Amino acid sequence: MDFKLLVQKMLNKVLSLFLHLRNRHFFIFDIIVFSITPFLALMLLLDSNIALEPYISALAGTTILFLTVKLSLCWRFGFYRRYWRYASIEELIYIAKLITAGVVIQTLLFDVEESILLFAVDKLPQSLPLIDGLLSLSLIGVLRFSVRVTERISKRYKAGSKPQERVLIVGAGSAGVSLVQEMQRNPHLGFDPVAFIDDSPKKLNAQIMGISVVGDRHQIPDVVNSLHIRKAVIAMPTVAGGVIREIVDICKATGIQPSTLPGIHEILNGRVRVDSIRDVRIEDLLRREPVQIEIERVHQFLQGKKVLITGAGGSIGSELCRQIFKCQPAEMILIGHGENSVFNIQQELEQLVQVLKNDGKTQIHTPKVSNLIGDLRFQSRLEHAFERFQPEVIFHAAAHKHVPLMESNPPEAITNNVLGTKNLLQLALQYDVKHFVMISTDKAVNPTNIMGASKRVAEMLVLQAAKESGNSYVAVRFGNVLGSRGSVVPTFQKQIAAGGPVTVTHPDICRYFMTIPEAVQLVLQAAVLGRCGEVLMLNMGEPVKIVDLAKELIRLSGYEVNKDIDIVFTGLRPGEKLFEELFISGENYEPTQHEKLFVVKNASRIIPKNLAVIVEYLSEAAARNNADYIMYLLEQLVTGYKPKYLRNSLPGDASINSPVSSYRFFRYFYGNPSSKLLKTLSCKDLI
């Protein structure tokens, strides 16, 4: 038989033997170890020239005593219920605690009278318990961790024939170190981390996990060439987007395509894993400093409560579900109209439960996750949900958000964004829900489109409900969210994939952007800080030119702007602004305890008195699919909204501020002065 093959078979058998060791085997090994450590300790303490005969009887009794003490402690504190294949520093600390307790007890027993112990311990050195403990800790630790070491050797041995990709880790912080640990534990994944890059001078030339920190970001080209690097992973989930952008440019100039870990709030349960590595996205380049929220206050606010999330399958709604889940509510009720999206987020949460169980975190309360497929426009379906689940906190994220689509479909914007919110609020008041948070938009500020105007009306309904109930009902405004379904990014990506051109409406058009996790974290903070009848506005930072966003996406895709992929300007669409505004005339913005949140204290004092009446009119107009009348009513209700009517033939002096003109206007569009709606309204209501 070939000698090499024989060695391989023997090695396989040895590895297999170690990997199949169980606690019953370790129990036998421990008896042997604990039986010989007193003898070894005595040999170390005595000069080899001194005879052992005078100590034999005392040593025998001490060995039995020490063996009984240590085995009793190990059995009592679950030492033989541990799974040693994944032993880590926690297990080593655990062993040290048990042995230390054993040393203390053994030392105390050394002071017990000979008549009680039946043998003379005074003949033995007083330091024997300590040396015995140190030897026991060393031998037991080596035995337990041999399983972990053997498993790693086995994995490396099996992966030896597979090609390993030489990886440069950019960032020698906790995320980078965790990533290297994961790669070393799983060599079969094909990653071979060979060096760290870090900007901290203190870490230069340091050895971490057996890998050197070889320089800062500016030395990436030299390191890549000298160490034959094939892949770079940016392991800095907390740095700002400008740093990521610079590192990406350096890597690309060097000829390697960088990957990255997601932002810190996107990493599942705070764990860094190899399967978290992904391509650099536009969100990474625009990432701001991590949001610091009052985690304890948010946790206390949601813990043990029944939380209802509308639009739970959407981009904002699903992230709300993920972050609320971590706050350990009693139950989460996911409401959505799209069955597939609700199914996906429910499956994700159930997988998270399994991750927690696999990590041994069974002590963490996992909320009950319920779902309800339904449309907010159907009051009876919503009423069934409230009667069944009795929610205590509501996060209302369901809405139509696409500006061009709502501009051409005004009835749908009204029925979903306005009437859906109205139905939800009516039931929240009926069931005395104490906390209601509506996700609004900066497009509700001086809106130029149907979508923004409909969201502004929804805000008014929330503020009105807050006045009626005195409960903590608030609206939270923020701008565009990168990665959401309504974002421009997916459109640009499709255009790039098709070979271009990338279409931008105007060279000067700007928008405020946030990442989904950042926006949701601030929404949760706003839920804690918000009081009755307030509007909160997220600090969106600096606006970003859409054309610059398009250029970054083209470069990220590996192309050159206007060489491989062209950018074409198409002109502003109906209802589209060049710049988003942040303030409504008459609103007083004040800072909150959180630097990235502003509050409108007087928001509920600028609600039109005839809000309920006009919303009834809007409902009637939407039911009749009359877009002109919808726009007219929104113009009367929403400050700053100046629509372009579809018919351009309104009655001469139509104004909702007089009952006669309102009657004329309704008759003009519907030709039926005996409408059911008008029968229920008096002239006083219309003023």
Side-chain angles (χ1 to χ4, degrees):
M1 182 181 292
D2 183 60
F3 179 73
K4 186 177 180 181
L5 184 60
L6 180 62
V7 172
Q8 286 179 344
K9 284 188 175 182
M10 290 177 63
L11 181 59
N12 283 336
K13 284 186 178 181
V14 172
L15 293 175
S16 177
L17 177 65
F18 268 91
L19 291 175
H20 285 84
L21 287 176
R22 297 294 181 263
N23 277 313
R24 61 179 180 272
H25 304 127
F26 284 122
F27 180 72
I28 296 170
F29 290 146
D30 290 349
I31 292 174
I32 297 171
V33 169
F34 294 151
S35 298
I36 66 173
T37 49
F39 173 75
L40 295 174
L42 186 61
M43 291 291 291
L44 288 172
L45 289 168
L46 298 177
D47 185 52
S48 58
N49 296 323
I50 298 176
L52 293 175
E53 285 78 6
Y55 304 97
I56 294 298
S57 61
L59 182 62
T62 301
T63 299
I64 295 171
L65 179 67
F66 286 7
L67 177 66
T68 304
V69 168
K70 284 181 281 197
L71 286 178
S72 299
L73 283 171
C74 290
W75 193 272
R76 172 66 180 81
F77 292 101
F79 193 57
Y80 298 108
R81 292 196 298 269
R82 295 267 171 166
Y83 192 60
W84 298 102
R85 193 164 186 172
Y86 302 111
S88 63
I89 189 66
E90 286 78 13
E91 278 70 28
L92 183 59
I93 294 171
Y94 177 71
I95 295 172
K97 286 179 179 179
L98 284 180
I99 297 298
T100 301
V103 169
V104 171
I105 295 171
Q106 290 168 180
T107 303
L108 292 173
L109 288 174
F110 251 47
D111 294 330
V112 176
E113 293 294 329
E114 178 183 341
S115 58
I116 299 174
L117 291 177
L118 304 178
F119 58 89
V121 295
D122 58 339
K123 292 182 180 180
L124 297 172
Q126 288 298 307
S127 57
L128 184 70
L130 176 60
I131 303 302
D132 170 79
L134 292 174
L135 289 170
S136 297
L137 175 61
S138 302
L139 294 173
I140 294 302
V142 167
L143 275 172
R144 293 308 192 274
F145 280 84
S146 64
V147 179
R148 175 74 178 272
V149 173
T150 303
E151 184 189 34
R152 182 170 295 185
I153 293 171
S154 177
K155 286 182 177 179
R156 287 190 176 278
Y157 178 73
K158 292 177 181 177
S161 59
K162 297 180 181 179
Q164 299 284 301
E165 193 169 28
R166 295 174 67 81
V167 180
L168 177 67
I169 308 297
V170 184
S174 57
V177 173
S178 297
L179 187 61
V180 169
Q181 288 176 329
E182 185 79 6
M183 289 177 175
Q184 291 177 341
R185 280 196 297 264
N186 299 283
H188 62 280
L189 296 173
F191 296 111
D192 179 20
V194 296
F196 280 111
I197 285 290
D198 198 279
D199 287 341
S200 172
K202 296 179 181 179
K203 294 179 182 178
L204 185 62
N205 299 321
Q207 287 275 323
I208 304 174
M209 302 298 296
I211 298 173
S212 297
V213 180
V214 295
D216 59 22
R217 75 182 81 164
H218 303 293
Q219 292 172 286
I220 289 176
D222 295 333
V223 173
V224 167
N225 293 326
S226 62
L227 297 179
H228 309 291
I229 300 295
R230 299 290 301 278
K231 185 181 185 70
V233 179
I234 303 170
M236 297 187 292
T238 62
V239 301
V243 176
I244 301 294
R245 190 181 299 113
E246 184 179 348
I247 294 170
V248 168
D249 290 341
I250 293 171
C251 289
K252 287 191 172 182
T254 309
I256 58 171
Q257 186 71 22
S259 299
T260 188
L261 289 175
I264 191 64
H265 304 302
E266 300 173 70
I267 297 175
L268 178 64
N269 204 33
R271 293 180 61 188
V272 174
R273 303 175 64 96
V274 172
D275 55 13
S276 300
I277 297 173
R278 57 164 171 75
D279 291 337
V280 178
R281 299 175 185 166
I282 193 67
E283 300 98 293
D284 302 311
L285 304 188
L286 298 179
R287 188 195 302 161
R288 296 188 285 175
E289 293 296 326
V291 175
Q292 301 297 325
I293 68 167
E294 297 170 294
I295 297 173
E296 283 302 317
R297 286 189 66 183
V298 174
H299 192 278
Q300 290 172 9
F301 171 62
L302 294 173
Q303 187 176 27
K305 291 188 173 68
K306 294 183 178 180
V307 183
L308 184 149
I309 304 106
T310 71
S315 49
I316 295 295
S318 59
E319 183 63 23
L320 270 169
C321 292
R322 294 182 193 101
Q323 295 197 28
I324 290 171
F325 183 93
K326 298 176 185 177
C327 297
Q328 302 177 26
E331 185 174 7
M332 295 172 61
I333 304 101
L334 317 184
I335 295 184
H337 191 218
E339 59 174 342
N340 289 332
S341 55
V342 173
F343 174 80
N344 289 338
I345 185 60
Q346 185 175 18
Q347 289 292 300
E348 184 179 331
L349 296 179
E350 289 175 357
Q351 288 172 6
L352 182 54
V353 172
Q354 290 303 315
V355 168
L356 292 173
K357 287 181 179 178
N358 294 337
D359 286 350
K361 297 180 180 178
T362 52
Q363 75 278 7
I364 296 178
H365 168 74
T366 53
K368 180 182 178 183
V369 180
S370 304
N371 64 72
L372 187 132
I373 304 301
D375 195 316
L376 300 184
R377 290 173 283 198
F378 296 108
Q379 183 86 358
S380 60
R381 185 67 174 147
L382 268 182
E383 192 160 5
H384 167 72
F386 275 77
E387 185 177 346
R388 176 182 170 190
F389 299 112
Q390 303 285 322
E392 300 169 85
V393 182
I394 295 174
F395 287 91
H396 177 34
H400 285 324
K401 305 177 184 72
H402 285 271
V403 170
L405 284 178
M406 293 306 101
E407 205 63 19
S408 56
N409 294 276
E412 189 67 16
I414 297 303
T415 55
N416 194 66
N417 295 356
V418 177
L419 300 185
T421 302
K422 178 188 172 187
N423 290 340
L424 193 63
L425 284 165
Q426 284 178 344
L427 287 166
L429 293 174
Q430 181 182 331
Y431 284 83
D432 195 27
V433 176
K434 299 298 183 183
H435 300 277
F436 187 106
V437 181
M438 174 196 156
I439 310 299
S440 188
T441 171
D442 58 355
K443 292 176 178 60
V445 178
N446 301 323
T448 57
N449 51 68
I450 291 285
M451 193 281 281
S454 68
K455 292 293 284 184
R456 176 59 186 148
V457 176
E459 284 183 3
M460 294 177 185
L461 290 170
V462 172
L463 299 174
Q464 183 66 50
K467 285 180 67 176
E468 292 177 16
S469 66
N471 291 333
S472 179
Y473 287 18
V474 299
V476 183
R477 293 179 191 145
F478 52 86
N480 296 271
V481 179
L482 288 166
S484 70
R485 293 176 185 174
S487 170
V488 71
V489 172
T491 302
F492 286 167
Q493 288 172 331
K494 289 177 183 177
Q495 291 174 338
I496 292 167
V502 172
T503 57
V504 178
T505 56
H506 194 282
D508 295 324
I509 191 168
C510 291
R511 291 293 180 264
Y512 294 95
F513 285 100
M514 301 182 87
T515 63
I516 294 175
E518 181 182 13
V520 168
Q521 279 209 316
L522 289 173
V523 167
L524 294 177
Q525 182 70 67
V528 173
L529 295 178
R531 297 293 178 263
C532 173
E534 292 180 346
V535 172
L536 291 108
M537 183 77 191
L538 306 192
N539 180 352
M540 299 296 297
E542 294 299 319
V544 176
K545 277 193 172 186
I546 300 298
V547 67
D548 292 339
L549 191 69
K551 289 176 181 177
E552 291 286 5
L553 275 170
I554 292 170
R555 282 194 284 265
L556 272 181
S557 303
Y559 300 108
E560 289 188 36
V561 180
N562 294 327
K563 181 178 179 182
D564 303 314
I565 303 287
D566 292 330
I567 295 177
V568 175
F569 298 103
T570 59
L572 291 175
R573 297 171 295 183
E576 190 172 39
K577 293 180 180 180
L578 268 181
F579 307 97
E580 294 293 357
E581 300 171 82
L582 299 179
F583 307 102
I584 292 176
S585 177
E587 289 186 339
N588 296 327
Y589 283 73
E590 299 176 19
T592 67
Q593 301 169 26
H594 197 284
E595 61 179 355
K596 292 191 176 182
L597 283 170
F598 299 97
V599 62
V600 183
K601 292 281 188 181
N602 67 333
S604 60
R605 293 198 291 272
I606 54 177
I607 301 172
K609 293 181 179 180
N610 53 3
L611 174 64
V613 174
I614 300 182
V615 168
E616 287 296 325
Y617 272 117
L618 281 168
S619 176
E620 184 83 15
R624 294 173 178 267
N625 292 298
N626 195 314
D628 279 327
Y629 192 33
I630 288 171
M631 286 187 284
Y632 173 77
L633 292 170
L634 289 175
E635 184 181 10
Q636 311 308 311
L637 193 58
V638 179
T639 302
Y641 178 59
K642 301 295 180 185
K644 293 181 180 178
Y645 294 99
L646 300 179
R647 298 186 185 185
N648 291 313
S649 55
L650 296 177
D653 60 346
S655 171
I656 200 68
N657 293 321
S658 74
V660 176
S661 294
S662 298
Y663 184 86
R664 285 177 57 206
F665 192 84
F666 198 95
R667 183 177 181 181
Y668 174 80
F669 278 109
Y670 294 116
N672 180 13
S674 61
S675 164
K676 178 182 176 182
L677 175 62
L678 286 183
K679 284 182 179 180
T680 63
L681 299 174
S682 67
C683 289
K684 182 181 177 182
D685 293 325
L686 294 170
I687 299 176

